[in-house]
Amino acid sequence: MPLPGHDKRSNGLSKGCCSWTIRTLQKAFSTSRTMKKQFLKKFVLLATGLLLLDIFLQYQLFIQYKNNQIVAVSLHLAEIRARLETRMTSSLLLLTGTANYIALTPGLTQASFDQYAHRILHHNPLLTNLAFAENFKVKFVFPITANEPILGLDYRSLPRQWDQVRQVVETGQLLVTGPLELVQGGTGLIGRVPVRVEQQGAERVLGIVSAVIDMDKLLAESGLNDSHLAIALRGVDGLGAAGAVFRGSSDLFSPEQESVLLDVTFPGGSWQLAGLPEHGWLTSTAPPFAFTVHGLLLLLGGALAIGMFKSTQNNHQIETIRQSLTEAQAIAHLGSWQVDFKDESIWWSEESYRIFGVSPSSFQPSLSNCHDLLHPDDRPRLQALFDQARTSGQGYELDHRIIQADGSLRHVHSRSQVELDENGKPRHMTGTILDITEQKLVELALRASEEMNQAMAEASLDALITIDSADRILFWSPAAEKMFGWSKQEALQRKLHELIVPEQFRTKAQEGIARFVSSGQGPLINHVREMTALRKDGSCFPVDLSVAAFSLDNNYYAHGSLRDATERKATEENLQWLATTDGLTGLLNRRRFMELAEQAFQRASRYRNPMTLIMFDADRFKTINDTFGHDGGDEILKALAREATAVLREVDIIGRIGGEEFTIVLPQTGLKGGLQLAERLRQRIAENTVNLPNGRSARITISLGVAELSQELNSLDELIKAADIALYQAKENGRNRVVTAPVLRDEGDAKQPGEKQPQKG
């Protein structure tokens, strides 16, 4: 502010006063001596009075002169303070918004963080970087360039910063640190705010969001560097007057300097600003003289005009700051309020009126009508917290509901703090109210979806499992716990294929995961496949697996449904057994035997290999049934099956093709080998006794017909027919013997024991 100087009109007034004095003296000396004494006495009194008045006015002018300097300095410092507070507040509010964004964004990635941080830094050039530290280690930072040294940084390894970080976690409040030298280079202010999330009904600190505010740019934009004043700042780490000086001379804070001191307040702390004219208070320059009331009023008017101009200018700046703060609150849906405990008056910001849906012109907030705007179910709890804060001086924080004037329901987050007077008693309470309706609706929808999915998972008999692209288990249903033996707590975050895939199949499974990570595709996606799974106890079992994939934030996830296939496999095997096996003897039934016999015949014909076919049945089986009953007959047939199987090779094919009739195919076996096996089987049956039910026993014999594949017998039907004829001849010739089909006998072949030439009929 320009300092006031001498006024030429004041000099004119002085000359006029001198002329009046001379004329008065001349006139006085021309009167009587008594009058002279009286005049002199009055003059002395008048002169003394004028002198005293002059001294008084000069002193007042001097005081006013110095006060003008103080006002000028104060107004200039107020401008700087307003800019500092505005830029600091807007930057730190963005930091709080970032913490809320991270808390509401599970599974946050570097890409998502970069996208969000880019928008933040674009709109606020004071922020040079933005970082998120999970469990005190820096996980994300933006921009990466020039900030790579802090990635993975553990705050616990930096003693000074660790104390600040720990204070943020313990208090749960925004905290400003610095100015300080940064790890990645340069000097800046660091704002830190905790990220709070709710898990299983309890709130915990997920991590710390921090941002670096460019100190040089902040000071430049505030106009501090261009000021003609001597200025200093103190309050390192936001400690206000208790903090160290970080700009300018510490002498400015000395009481002897009589500096103008202003507090710079922002979320998470404060600074103190000190200012003086560049060359100190000008005390050697005489103030302007004023000998008349008009001159004094003129000087006073000039001083008032200057003061009014500066005041108007300052008020305009304050209004601009207030408007910016109002706009910032509207963007953040964050209102502010204050309750004066002395008269219980309440002040609301414009955004508070908007959140409650009332007009400032028609609604005057008070404790009673504000109480009516609360949701009935939330009133008792909020009232109790308010009363407790009023009594104890401790603030509160609460999510609750309000009812707007039109009946609409809104969800808000309220916070408050209490300011105490010099006696330690609550003076007033200041708070904020944040409209979180949209977040609450999202949370409620997400919770409903999660509860529905959980209910579906609990009702499903199939195991439901969800994994991410790193093969980590994210969801493990109750059916999965029962099927695999791993509890939900044991399974979550474990690698799925290491948990339930047998070791011999894991390499192939990992190849499938690698493909899934890059493309979201894989051999199991959108298919139902059977695979072998591994239980916790090490046992393996078959499962039917169906997998679907989905993408979220450019990451792929897979959701699988697994059904225990043990019972299905057993049923299929049982059906297969029933379809191919004779239920009494356990041998092949007629249909399956004919299929395998035809395959053996085709191979023998193609490669010209020998093959022999034997047919046999029990002698006098009807008599056996009549004597021992059908149960006894069944035991006889089972015994024949056991004895025949005992003399056969694994490649030989045997089946029961009739009541007591059995057929054997001997691949890679000529007639001689077939006759030898048939005779061995005949002797084995004849020499053994069959134990029957009820302690009885019986001895039986069999008759056998043998036929060999040849040019004359070049089909399976012909072989069977020839062997059947030979069997008939064995029966006709006395039973308990082996007979060769006539068409297969060469003249040089020897007869088998008991064999006769077959006869027709």
Side-chain angles (χ1 to χ4, degrees), residues 573-583 585-601 603 613 650-658 663-665 716 720:
E573 292 173 359
N574 185 50
L575 291 175
Q576 179 68 19
W577 186 86
L578 292 174
T580 61
T581 307
D582 175 56
T585 63
L587 301 179
L588 298 176
N589 59 20
R590 180 181 181 87
R591 184 180 64 81
R592 184 58 175 164
F593 172 80
M594 295 302 292
E595 290 176 357
L596 297 181
E598 181 64 30
Q599 294 173 10
F601 171 79
R603 286 194 297 270
L613 187 142
E650 290 186 2
V651 297
D652 297 335
I653 304 168
I654 181 172
R656 181 188 178 199
I657 62 174
T663 305
I664 301 172
V665 173
L716 182 61
I720 293 174

Side-chain angles (χ1 to χ4, degrees), residues 84-157:
L84 287 173
E85 289 181 345
T86 299
R87 286 156 176 76
M88 283 288 288
T89 300
S90 62
S91 300
L92 295 175
L93 284 176
L94 290 176
L95 184 61
T96 303
T98 301
N100 293 334
Y101 168 75
I102 294 175
L104 296 175
T105 308
L108 185 66
T109 64
Q110 180 70 53
S112 301
F113 183 83
D114 290 349
Q115 184 179 8
Y116 178 84
H118 176 73
R119 294 198 303 269
I120 295 299
L121 269 62
H122 176 73
H123 293 293
N124 194 320
L126 286 181
L127 297 177
T128 61
N129 63 52
L130 198 62
F132 170 55
E134 186 174 355
N135 295 327
F136 308 120
K137 290 186 177 181
V138 178
K139 184 178 182 181
F140 301 130
V141 65
F142 181 88
I144 293 294
T145 305
N147 292 297
E148 292 180 348
I150 69 172
L151 277 175
L153 177 68
D154 193 332
Y155 283 117
R156 290 168 290 194
S157 64

Side-chain angles (χ1 to χ4, degrees), residues 438-452:
E438 300 302 326
Q439 298 94 307
K440 277 293 183 182
L441 292 178
V442 171
E443 290 176 7
L444 292 174
L446 180 60
R447 187 180 306 165
S449 176
E450 290 177 348
E451 291 177 355
M452 181 181 67

Side-chain angles (χ1 to χ4, degrees), residues 68-80:
N68 287 341
Q69 296 182 70
I70 294 174
V71 170
V73 172
S74 299
L75 292 175
H76 188 70
L77 290 181
E79 296 176 16
I80 295 174

Side-chain angles (χ1 to χ4, degrees), residues 38 321 511 683 758:
Q38 292 178 350
I321 294 171
E511 294 173 356
Q683 291 179 2

Side-chain angles (χ1 to χ4, degrees), residues 600-621:
F601 171 79
Q602 293 295 335
R603 286 194 297 270
S605 299
R606 185 182 302 114
Y607 299 110
R608 300 182 182 279
N609 292 329
M611 188 183 85
T612 302
L613 187 142
I614 302 173
M615 292 188 68
F616 70 93
D617 67 3
D619 295 333
R620 297 183 177 87
F621 189 70

Side-chain angles (χ1 to χ4, degrees), residues 365-392:
S366 65
L367 292 180
S368 59
N369 58 19
C370 289
H371 186 268
D372 295 336
L373 295 176
L374 302 177
H375 191 281
D377 294 341
D378 296 340
R379 288 173 188 168
R381 184 179 180 189
L382 190 60
Q383 184 65 49
L385 290 175
F386 182 86
D387 293 341
Q388 181 181 358
R390 187 172 187 172
T391 302
S392 65

